[in-house]
Amino acid sequence: MSTPKLSARPALLFDLDGTLVDSVYQHVLSWSDALESEGLHLSIWRIHRRIGMSGGLFLKALDRELGTSLTEPQADRLRQAHAAALLGRLDQVRPLPGARELLAALSSMHVPWAIATSGASITARPTLALLGIPESTPVVTRDQVAYAKPNPDLFLAAAERLGVPPGDCFVVGDSIWDLLAAQRAGALSVGVLSGGYGQEELERAGAYRVYDDPADLLAHLDELGIRAAG
Amino acid sequence: MSTPKLSARPALLFDLDGTLVDSVYQHVLSWSDALESEGLHLSIWRIHRRIGMSGGLFLKALDRELGTSLTEPQADRLRQAHAAALLGRLDQVRPLPGARELLAALSSMHVPWAIATSGASITARPTLALLGIPESTPVVTRDQVAYAKPNPDLFLAAAERLGVPPGDCFVVGDSIWDLLAAQRAGALSVGVLSGGYGQEELERAGAYRVYDDPADLLAHLDELGIRAAG
């Protein structure tokens, strides 16, 4: 018998923006504002398709799409302008339906879970606060690893915090960068539509299964073979 | 020989928001603001997937998704709050790359074209102004037909304005509601990704061909068999 892909007790590694909190569209327009403040214009759908990837890679993609070559001080100003614009929109951000309930259910089933986000601590912390999760929750932010998504580092670090091999984890994410990073971490992945990607895009990026949002995932945990500890 | 699907000189019927102007994300957050002002919360991706459809049908879908039963005065307040929020964001709205050039190229090739939008005149007019098109451009807005998309009325009226049978038209749109309405109008449709839908979603809704945005469509007019009048 070959080694199964997941043990009988998989852990879950969650992305944050678009997966647990309804913040993707605010991120998108905040990047658009930041670019405009530097006199740069990129179509908003192209920004949307880059949310969740490393900020550094986002800026490289921007250079390619705009034919620019951003300087390091410009890149820094863009990151700061994005964070400032986002902080101004945080009062509009809500947890996604079922997010709190899903995390509470996993905890009560003794299923290990963690959060791994390409976001910096400064924007991630106020968003995490919306979820009402314990202080002890393992959370890995951009500042804590060398490379963000689609590199696997965030998910590898999150699995390590849980003491679970990455191959025993499901990554749950809304963007193709989550799903590509999951493949590189050797984990299976579950897509959610709540970040605004279409189902087929997520499947083509390797999603093992796709649900609407955390509430829909919670209602179908059986499909992932996730059970309360016996 | 059977009747061909399109004559040798097809006309183009354009959607406006997300197809010619980069306004979908502003519409999305304006609906979110309007709902919040009535104490209603709907995930933002679900609003995104409804943009471009008739406002009346949008509100019916909302009733289903929220389990509410909106009264007519509530629906009116929502429409007004959306329009007010959108007007406050219009300074952020830009034409999509290649939109002006595409329309100018079609005109210089003597290819008939028109615009058909589910938007009301009050929000469509300032958006149209960004395109710098002649006053004489045939434009059909929500106010001028009985039913908006996915009903075919807007595209049928636009084809009639051009004096071209609907079956001799390509509908160009960013949302599945455009593409479904095109099918009901008996027209072929071309999808653009610039409204934030994925390519596969547009293909599954009937798109004959999908391009990134107006600039990409302009660069590939040959693929649609669109030529300058000989």
Side-chain angles (χ1 to χ4, degrees):
Chain A
M1 205 171 107
S2 64
T3 314
K5 199 70 176 154
L6 283 170
S7 76
R9 305 275 319 144
L12 277 81
L13 309 178
F14 290 95
D15 168 59
L16 180 60
D17 294 295
T19 300
L20 294 172
V21 292
D22 198 1
S23 53
V24 165
Y25 292 76
Q26 286 84 5
H27 269 281
V28 170
L29 288 183
S30 297
W31 273 115
S32 182
D33 289 352
L35 292 170
E36 294 268 334
S37 73
E38 289 288 316
L40 301 168
H41 307 288
L42 186 63
S43 299
I44 299 182
W45 70 281
R46 293 192 190 270
I47 299 175
H48 187 182
R49 288 296 180 278
R50 299 280 166 198
I51 295 295
M53 82 190 304
S54 137
L57 295 179
F58 173 88
L59 295 172
K60 278 204 203 312
L62 194 66
D63 272 348
R64 182 178 62 236
E65 298 196 2
L66 293 173
T68 51
S69 184
L70 293 173
T71 62
E72 202 43 56
Q74 264 188 310
D76 281 342
R77 282 201 304 274
L78 281 173
R79 280 194 200 92
Q80 285 163 20
H82 164 257
L86 185 71
L87 292 172
R89 287 188 168 99
L90 278 183
D91 62 324
Q92 304 166 9
V93 173
R94 307 274 175 268
L96 280 161
R100 287 159 167 261
E101 296 81 356
L102 171 62
L103 300 178
L106 292 173
S107 294
S108 74
M109 293 162 81
H110 303 291
V111 173
W113 61 271
I115 295 175
T117 171
S118 283
S121 177
I122 184 175
T123 51
R125 290 287 147 193
T127 313
L128 284 162
L130 297 172
L131 294 172
I133 51 181
E135 280 292 321
S136 59
T137 302
V139 175
V140 186
T141 58
R142 176 68 190 90
D143 331 69
Q144 297 168 26
V145 295
Y147 301 109
K149 305 165 194 171
N151 285 65
D153 308 34
L154 283 157
F155 293 127
L156 293 175
E160 195 176 348
R161 291 275 188 90
L162 295 176
V164 174
D168 275 348
C169 296
F170 281 114
V171 161
V172 184
D174 68 297
S175 84
I176 65 168
W177 316 112
D178 295 310
L179 309 184
L180 297 176
Q183 290 193 42
R184 292 178 67 175
L188 290 181
S189 67
V190 173
V192 283
L193 299 177
S194 39
Y197 278 81
Q199 172 151 353
E200 300 82 4
E201 287 176 274
L202 299 181
E203 287 168 352
R204 290 175 65 174
Y208 167 81
R209 203 85 178 110
V210 176
Y211 299 99
D212 281 357
D213 57 16
D216 190 34
L217 170 55
L218 174 58
H220 293 89
L221 279 180
D222 54 292
E223 295 188 352
L224 302 177
I226 292 174
R227 301 170 177 82
Chain B
M1 206 174 105
S2 65
T3 314
K5 199 70 175 153
L6 282 170
S7 77
R9 306 275 320 144
L12 277 81
L13 310 178
F14 289 95
D15 168 58
L16 180 60
D17 294 295
T19 300
L20 295 171
V21 293
D22 198 1
S23 53
V24 165
Y25 292 76
Q26 286 83 5
H27 269 281
V28 170
L29 288 183
S30 296
W31 273 114
S32 181
D33 289 352
L35 292 171
E36 294 268 334
S37 73
E38 288 289 314
L40 301 169
H41 308 287
L42 186 63
S43 299
I44 300 183
W45 71 281
R46 292 192 190 270
I47 298 175
H48 187 182
R49 288 296 181 278
R50 299 281 166 199
I51 295 295
M53 82 191 302
S54 135
L57 295 180
F58 173 88
L59 296 172
K60 277 206 204 310
L62 194 67
D63 272 347
R64 183 178 63 236
E65 299 196 2
L66 294 173
T68 52
S69 184
L70 293 173
T71 62
E72 202 43 56
Q74 264 189 310
D76 281 343
R77 284 200 304 273
L78 280 172
R79 278 193 202 93
Q80 284 163 19
H82 164 258
L86 185 70
L87 292 172
R89 287 187 168 98
L90 278 184
D91 62 326
Q92 304 165 10
V93 173
R94 307 273 174 269
L96 279 160
R100 286 158 167 262
E101 295 82 355
L102 171 62
L103 299 178
L106 293 173
S107 293
S108 74
M109 294 162 80
H110 303 291
V111 173
W113 60 271
I115 295 174
T117 172
S118 283
S121 178
I122 184 175
T123 52
R125 291 285 148 195
T127 313
L128 284 162
L130 297 172
L131 293 172
I133 51 179
E135 281 291 322
S136 58
T137 302
V139 175
V140 186
T141 57
R142 176 68 190 90
D143 331 68
Q144 297 167 26
V145 295
Y147 301 108
K149 304 164 194 173
N151 285 63
D153 307 33
L154 283 158
F155 293 127
L156 293 174
E160 195 176 348
R161 290 273 188 93
L162 296 176
V164 174
D168 275 348
C169 295
F170 282 113
V171 160
V172 184
D174 68 298
S175 84
I176 64 168
W177 316 114
D178 294 311
L179 309 185
L180 297 176
Q183 290 193 42
R184 292 177 67 175
L188 290 181
S189 66
V190 173
V192 284
L193 299 178
S194 39
Y197 277 82
Q199 173 153 351
E200 300 81 4
E201 287 176 274
L202 299 181
E203 287 168 352
R204 289 175 66 174
Y208 168 79
R209 202 86 179 111
V210 176
Y211 298 99
D212 281 357
D213 57 16
D216 190 36
L217 171 56
L218 174 57
H220 294 89
L221 279 179
D222 54 292
E223 293 188 354
L224 302 177
I226 292 175
R227 300 169 176 82

